[in-house]
Amino acid sequence: MDSADNMPGGFAGSETSSNYDQNEDPVLDNGENNPDVSYDVSETNSTTNKNENDEDNESNDEITVIPDIETRDSGASDTDIPAQHHQQAENEAKVEKNANLEPSDGRPPVPSRQILRNLASVDPEILAQASIGATENTLEPEYVVTDDLLQSKLNQLNAGFNNKSSQVQTLIRSATQNIRKTFNDIRTTVGALEHDYQIDWEFWANVVNDYESVVQNNSHALHSKIAAGIPKEVRGIVWQLVAQSKNYELEEFYLTLKSETSIHEKAIKRDLTRTSFYTAVDAVSKGEDLYNVIKAYSLFDPDVGYTQGMIFVAVPLIMNMTDSECFCLLVTMMKDYRLRDLFCPDMRGLHRQLYQFDRLLEQNSPLLYNHLVKQGIKSSMYASQWFLTFFAYKFPLEIVLRIYDIVITHGIEALLKFAVNLMLQNENKLLSLKFDKLLEFLKDHLFNRYVNDEFVDERRFSLRKRQGSSSSYYNLDSMVEDAMAIKVSMVDLAQFEREFDAIYASEKHRAEEIDELRHENGRLRHDIKALEHQFSVLNRDHVDIVQKMVDTKVMIPEIESENDDLQKAITQLRADLEELEAKMKAPSVSSSESTLDALKSPAIPQNIEEEIQRLLQVNAQEIEKCTELEEQLETLTVQDEELLEKLGKKRWWQR
Amino acid sequence: MELKSYDKYRMSFAPPTTSVKLVLLGEAAVGKSSLVLRFVSNDFQENKEPTIGAAFLTQKCTIGERTIKYEIWDTAGQERFASLAPMYYRNAQAALVVYDITKPASFIKARHWVKELHEQASKDITIALVGNKHDLVEDDNDGDDSSLRKVSIEEGQKLADEEGLLFFETSAKTAYNVNEVFVGIGSKIPEAPLLKPQQPQATDGRIDLSTGTAPAADGCAC
């Protein structure tokens, strides 16, 4: 397509790319490629790019970045990615070319998705054909994918390095030189000693001196060497070189931070002694160093601060390097390996990885996936710990170190391979279990699959017992090998991430809506309360009024009867009045006589009046005497009759 | 004869064990995992590792004639894991909100959890407020100023009374009061089948009504 014109190397035009048609467009937007995109642009316009990166790192908010890319969709971003391929093939000269190319491009509408796909899955093959040859062609298909992760990690790290200011680049370069020197020192001292096992010093020297060219030219060997475990003598060195983490400036900054106090100190100290690996760290007197690194990071990145789980992640680092180097690598992993997303307060990276894990599991074993769903088990219930601690939470350090080898070289996405592999390896067992047992198994027994046969009888015993036994308790090689065989395509991951972003955004939106509704609800509830209060006040008033009304009603008959009484009294009074008036009138009619009488009577002299009175009294007395006499007469009559009777009786006797 | 038919009913309708989903919430390092470890394994570990994500455990507990199977979700205490918590308490029938009686901040956090549970969790969730690490203060004399205790029993009891919670002070280390918490919760949990119409005792109207209403009353009380 058009892209072929812009592409140095013209991978886009290759036949393989045609397998990926436009129906997979969305891939373009995926965050996985974001870093590449922004880094590359920076070459042309370093300031804007830097801002973008800062934004990415600080806000940790993918959403803000994505639209940006979409707008540039077919323009700059496309050209960037090919540029990286180019880099791989022909190194720095190409970078310059790319830088030159870009402005002159004039942003033609290149179908970017194709290029991305090339980067994601087709690339290694093309690379193999283009630059290497025979050895690469023998790669098994799984390894193609593996290479893909390793390759893209390198691309991304290179891009990140190029994006840094030249001063920082110089610092990192000189630090790298220093590490190489250390490697050579180790090589001469350790190499002189006899070992049970052989270290391929030549190979590791190549890796240390020019990792990029080993990736380009000897990737098959590199893969198998890494999968077999980086020799512990040079592990820390290789990690730092691959991650390009050592940085004198940062190390100095660490020394400053180390002496400052962090609000997380208490929590860190408390958790340090609670971390199972601590004994291992303490055994090599690095407990203090570990504490300082974690504390310094909490100061360095206050938005993330301290999250439980960080200690687990830092332990393998501190076991393999000095504290300041450990700090640098931790910072690098946080930034360039997107570890920060895992630990930031909303843990978006964790949720994203869990989602990717779910989808990969669904792809690899729909049966198991459905079984888990039916049992109501979500990946966050058991896999959060895996991703937050790189499997360090429940599993022994020896395993974790091997996982680290892969993570540092392949990127954090490799954790998904380990996770999916563990599930698939235990598929039958998991399918036979129900909820409780299933969770228990997921938590504690997944690695039992890799216990070496000679120890199988011991499986029942506790973890501690295992740690006491020799380091070959687990068959680590086959564990890593199996995990690496799991197909994890960057295209799919990108797709999953996009889906996750959409889900996350919609859930965030929903959560916001719910929050808003809750807020609204609270407000309304408050209103209701106020109204209820008003209502109760009114109600009380109402009751008072009703009471008064009742009282009044009760009073009415009383008043009515009173009224009646008064009416009566009034009529009575009126009648009296009339009577009186009538009386008054009557005398007034005969007033002439009465007045005469009235005039006369007073004319009767006082003495006459008295005389009348006296006579009346005399009269009364006479009447009284008369009555007495009458009574005497009566008495006498009675006596007379009695006597007559007596006389009659006497006569009868005498007869 | 009657007994037999009753058993038959139990077999067919009501499983002898009631499953109770229980979630532990509380600030980091208050002893949530230790309480669970004590209850489930009757064990104690100094410096137990911090819980990352969440842990699931089960334990049966016999209360009178009932057997309750607790399905316990022990959550991570650190603040940023809080976003994972709703998944665990959403369908829980019981919750332990744990604080450390020597850490006032953990009591404040417990208050927040209780509030969140009331707002977000199931309405008839039974909540127990648990002040842990009683072993640190058990030798205290009254009014001892040097006491490690920073949250008094009265404060805990007051919060529990206000919010309608069970309240216990415990020590996962000495096992003090730990089983009591789970027994207390269990006896407050209504026997699930009783709430359904086709409950085993439905044949006997009298018994049915009296036993049927009791749990409902319990439910209202909390």
Side-chain angles (χ1 to χ4, degrees):
Chain A
M1 312 268 281
D2 295 7
S3 59
D5 305 335
N6 310 319
M7 296 306 81
F11 306 130
S14 94
E15 285 174 31
T16 28
S17 67
S18 62
N19 294 334
Y20 300 85
D21 262 327
Q22 312 221 341
N23 51 4
E24 276 180 309
D25 292 2
V27 172
L28 207 229
D29 306 333
N30 77 67
E32 199 50 51
N33 296 304
N34 291 351
D36 302 282
V37 173
S38 43
Y39 295 139
D40 247 282
V41 175
S42 73
E43 261 169 47
T44 52
N45 184 351
S46 64
T47 45
T48 46
N49 204 353
K50 204 162 189 185
N51 290 341
E52 252 182 67
N53 280 338
D54 288 349
E55 206 178 309
D56 199 359
N57 291 334
E58 282 168 27
S59 69
N60 226 338
D61 194 349
E62 311 281 349
I63 299 168
T64 58
V65 182
I66 286 163
D68 221 8
I69 291 151
E70 276 172 299
T71 54
R72 285 184 288 141
D73 189 294
S74 42
S77 59
D78 303 339
T79 54
D80 298 337
I81 288 138
Q84 282 170 24
H85 296 289
H86 205 58
Q87 252 178 297
Q88 293 152 215
E90 303 185 35
N91 285 344
E92 284 155 349
K94 297 292 152 67
V95 177
E96 284 171 26
K97 195 179 166 189
N98 176 29
N100 296 334
L101 257 178
E102 267 204 278
S104 64
D105 272 339
R107 316 277 171 277
V110 184
S112 50
R113 56 206 74 103
Q114 204 143 358
I115 297 135
L116 269 169
R117 258 177 237 124
N118 292 341
L119 167 74
S121 45
V122 184
D123 208 11
E125 277 179 28
I126 300 161
L127 269 178
Q129 290 162 8
S131 57
I132 300 150
T135 51
E136 296 302 309
N137 290 332
T138 62
L139 284 181
E140 289 172 30
E142 298 89 56
Y143 287 159
V144 172
V145 178
T146 306
D147 272 343
D148 189 24
L149 284 183
L150 189 141
Q151 183 80 61
S152 48
K153 191 75 229 168
L154 174 66
N155 292 346
Q156 192 216 324
L157 290 168
N158 276 341
F161 179 76
N162 290 329
N163 186 34
K164 289 180 168 117
S165 71
S166 60
Q167 194 196 349
V168 175
Q169 286 184 6
T170 320
L171 284 167
I172 292 176
R173 280 207 190 93
S174 72
T176 306
Q177 280 308 323
N178 193 282
I179 299 176
R180 286 182 183 134
K181 234 180 80 195
T182 315
F183 173 82
N184 288 327
D185 292 347
I186 292 173
R187 186 180 174 180
T188 43
T189 48
V190 179
L193 301 169
E194 283 297 313
H195 275 287
D196 310 344
Y197 61 99
Q198 205 62 45
I199 296 175
D200 187 347
W201 287 107
E202 202 59 46
F203 179 83
W204 290 112
N206 283 338
V207 169
V208 166
N209 288 320
D210 194 350
Y211 176 63
E212 204 166 306
S213 83
V214 175
V215 172
Q216 305 303 340
N217 303 316
N218 204 3
S219 89
H220 186 49
L222 177 64
H223 170 261
S224 56
K225 291 274 185 197
I226 289 173
I230 300 171
K232 63 177 190 296
E233 290 81 359
V234 296
R235 186 169 254 147
I237 286 170
V238 173
W239 286 356
Q240 289 183 71
L241 281 169
V242 171
Q244 302 169 7
S245 65
K246 195 171 163 79
N247 176 340
Y248 287 135
E249 200 179 31
L250 202 54
E251 285 189 80
E252 261 169 47
F253 191 39
Y254 163 73
L255 294 176
T256 329
L257 291 174
K258 198 170 138 177
S259 57
E260 286 175 22
T261 51
S262 160
I263 49 163
H264 299 286
E265 269 171 28
K266 258 175 135 177
I268 298 170
K269 266 188 188 144
R270 190 185 60 208
D271 285 347
L272 264 182
T273 50
R274 298 166 76 201
T275 303
S276 51
F277 285 167
Y278 187 73
T279 41
V281 178
D282 208 34
V284 291
S285 325
K286 287 212 168 181
E288 186 70 21
D289 287 349
L290 181 60
Y291 167 72
N292 282 329
V293 169
I294 302 288
K295 185 189 78 175
Y297 189 81
S298 75
L299 289 161
F300 177 78
D301 186 356
D303 288 346
V304 168
Y306 164 68
T307 302
Q308 287 178 336
M310 276 183 190
I311 293 176
F312 287 96
V313 171
V315 165
L317 305 181
I318 198 76
M319 301 291 282
N320 285 286
M321 57 198 76
T322 68
D323 59 339
S324 58
E325 286 171 338
C326 173
F327 179 74
C328 290
L329 187 49
L330 186 63
V331 169
T332 305
M333 290 182 74
M334 287 285 186
K335 273 188 175 171
D336 298 334
Y337 287 69
R338 304 174 81 193
L339 212 57
R340 195 175 181 277
D341 291 2
L342 284 175
F343 294 119
C344 68
D346 67 358
M347 292 190 148
R348 188 192 167 113
L350 174 65
H351 294 290
R352 183 188 64 226
Q353 220 161 1
L354 289 169
Y355 180 78
Q356 289 175 328
F357 170 73
D358 285 342
R359 297 299 310 271
L360 283 173
L361 188 61
E362 192 183 9
Q363 267 185 359
N364 282 281
S365 173
L367 202 61
L368 181 54
Y369 176 81
N370 287 331
H371 178 63
L372 291 171
V373 169
K374 269 186 206 148
Q375 292 298 317
I377 295 181
K378 292 181 176 143
S379 54
S380 57
M381 292 175 177
Y382 56 91
S384 303
Q385 322 168 340
W386 300 350
F387 298 129
L388 282 176
T389 68
F390 290 12
F391 291 97
Y393 189 58
K394 283 282 173 185
F395 303 115
L397 192 57
E398 44 172 335
I399 293 181
V400 178
L401 289 171
R402 295 291 289 273
I403 292 174
Y404 251 79
D405 288 344
I406 304 294
V407 167
I408 300 259
T409 50
H410 292 63
I412 201 173
E413 293 78 11
L415 285 175
L416 292 165
K417 292 190 174 199
F418 285 99
V420 172
N421 177 52
L422 282 175
M423 298 298 279
L424 294 182
Q425 291 296 332
N426 293 287
E427 188 176 17
N428 289 335
K429 180 73 185 167
L430 291 171
L431 284 172
S432 72
L433 296 172
K434 294 251 183 281
F435 187 78
D436 325 0
K437 296 286 168 202
L438 193 48
L439 277 170
E440 192 189 321
F441 190 86
L442 285 168
K443 195 174 69 182
D444 292 328
H445 305 300
L446 282 175
F447 270 113
N448 287 357
R449 165 73 184 67
Y450 288 107
V451 173
N452 271 326
D453 291 345
E454 54 208 286
F455 298 97
V456 162
D457 292 343
E458 268 184 53
R459 272 191 196 178
R460 261 176 251 118
F461 296 99
S462 70
L463 208 65
R464 220 164 271 138
K465 198 151 195 174
R466 284 178 208 154
Q467 283 173 337
S469 57
S470 76
S471 60
S472 57
Y473 182 82
Y474 288 101
N475 187 352
L476 298 177
D477 290 340
S478 69
M479 182 200 71
V480 176
E481 201 176 303
D482 291 345
M484 289 300 95
I486 301 291
K487 192 175 183 305
V488 171
S489 122
M490 292 297 277
V491 178
D492 288 349
L493 284 188
Q495 171 72 21
F496 299 158
E497 179 161 348
R498 233 177 53 87
E499 288 169 13
F500 170 78
D501 285 343
I503 293 168
Y504 192 84
S506 80
E507 278 195 0
K508 204 170 179 182
H509 181 69
R510 240 181 48 201
E512 273 164 14
E513 253 176 23
I514 288 171
D515 246 31
E516 218 167 88
L517 288 174
R518 189 170 296 142
H519 187 75
E520 178 72 8
N521 193 15
R523 212 179 50 73
L524 289 173
R525 206 175 289 162
H526 186 77
D527 286 0
I528 288 173
K529 239 181 205 162
L531 288 173
E532 271 174 353
H533 180 72
Q534 283 182 22
F535 176 72
S536 75
V537 168
L538 287 174
N539 215 15
R540 215 178 308 134
D541 288 359
H542 176 71
V543 167
D544 286 355
I545 289 167
V546 166
Q547 185 58 48
K548 273 180 194 160
M549 204 175 79
V550 168
D551 290 351
T552 316
K553 271 192 181 154
V554 168
M555 277 166 69
I556 285 173
E558 268 175 41
I559 289 169
E560 271 173 353
S561 72
E562 219 170 89
N563 195 19
D564 281 356
D565 290 352
L566 289 173
Q567 288 290 358
K568 271 180 205 159
I570 287 170
T571 16
Q572 183 64 43
L573 285 171
R574 281 222 177 101
D576 287 357
L577 190 65
E578 269 166 31
E579 203 178 308
L580 279 174
E581 268 173 358
K583 269 185 189 166
M584 288 283 278
K585 244 177 204 168
S588 71
V589 170
S590 55
S591 62
S592 50
E593 300 156 36
S594 62
T595 36
L596 278 178
D597 289 345
L599 285 171
K600 265 178 200 168
S601 55
I604 296 166
Q606 191 74 29
N607 48 354
I608 293 172
E609 185 98 31
E610 279 168 10
E611 189 61 19
I612 291 169
Q613 289 297 328
R614 200 183 52 83
L615 286 175
L616 279 173
Q617 271 175 4
V618 172
N619 184 31
Q621 280 167 7
E622 289 309 315
I623 288 170
E624 218 167 293
K625 268 177 193 169
C626 180
T627 324
E628 271 170 32
L629 287 174
E630 271 175 13
E631 277 172 8
Q632 276 177 10
L633 177 65
E634 214 169 316
T635 327
L636 289 175
T637 319
V638 170
Q639 280 173 354
D640 178 46
E641 276 175 19
E642 279 174 5
L643 286 173
L644 279 175
E645 221 173 303
K646 275 175 189 174
L647 196 63
K649 278 175 185 174
K650 260 178 190 174
R651 268 174 199 163
W652 186 77
W653 281 106
Q654 283 166 359
R655 253 190 268 165
Chain B
M1 190 63 189
E2 273 179 33
L3 204 77
K4 252 186 188 170
S5 65
Y6 175 75
D7 280 348
K8 213 169 131 194
Y9 269 115
R10 277 179 72 96
M11 300 263 281
S12 54
F13 291 108
T17 51
T18 317
S19 282
V20 172
K21 206 178 147 197
L22 181 144
V23 61
L24 280 99
L25 299 165
E27 208 188 38
V30 296
K32 296 179 292 301
S33 303
S34 294
L35 281 170
V36 177
L37 184 66
R38 173 61 74 190
F39 176 61
V40 171
S41 313
N42 194 22
D43 193 7
F44 181 76
Q45 291 173 11
E46 293 280 355
N47 296 326
K48 192 156 169 39
E49 76 265 10
T51 306
I52 309 272
F56 178 81
L57 297 102
T58 59
Q59 172 71 321
K60 283 184 183 169
C61 178
T62 308
I63 303 164
E65 292 189 352
R66 283 173 79 190
T67 303
I68 289 182
K69 183 188 171 200
Y70 283 109
E71 297 177 348
I72 304 167
W73 277 110
D74 174 22
T75 64
Q78 202 189 13
E79 183 64 37
R80 65 195 64 190
F81 290 94
S83 65
L84 294 169
M87 186 171 76
Y88 301 109
Y89 68 60
R90 201 166 288 143
N91 300 314
Q93 291 134 280
L96 298 192
V97 176
V98 187
Y99 65 94
D100 175 349
I101 58 174
T102 67
K103 300 242 158 55
S106 72
F107 187 63
I108 293 168
K109 186 71 204 163
R111 238 177 236 282
H112 291 165
W113 277 121
V114 170
K115 186 164 171 279
E116 183 166 340
L117 283 173
H118 279 320
E119 285 172 1
Q120 314 267 357
S122 141
K123 265 191 185 140
D124 5 281
I125 190 169
T126 303
I127 305 174
L129 181 68
V130 178
N132 193 34
K133 307 203 182 173
H134 185 264
D135 53 282
L136 295 176
V137 303
E138 66 188 356
D139 300 329
D140 278 6
N141 300 313
D142 286 341
D144 189 352
D145 286 344
S146 66
S147 169
L148 285 170
R149 182 190 276 280
K150 294 289 181 300
V151 183
S152 68
I153 296 188
E154 291 74 21
E155 279 174 272
Q157 188 64 58
K158 184 162 168 276
L159 175 62
D161 291 346
E162 283 167 3
E163 303 285 344
L165 321 171
L166 296 168
F167 174 65
F168 299 90
E169 284 202 347
T170 61
S171 165
K173 191 172 183 176
T174 65
Y176 166 70
N177 240 355
V178 175
N179 277 329
E180 284 77 356
V181 175
F182 291 89
V183 171
I185 285 211
S187 48
K188 258 205 132 184
I189 299 262
E191 204 168 328
L194 287 178
L195 297 174
K196 293 179 195 159
Q198 67 270 38
Q199 49 197 265
Q201 295 94 332
T203 47
D204 187 334
R206 276 176 308 160
I207 294 173
D208 196 23
L209 278 173
S210 57
T211 49
T213 48
D218 269 4
C220 293
C222 59

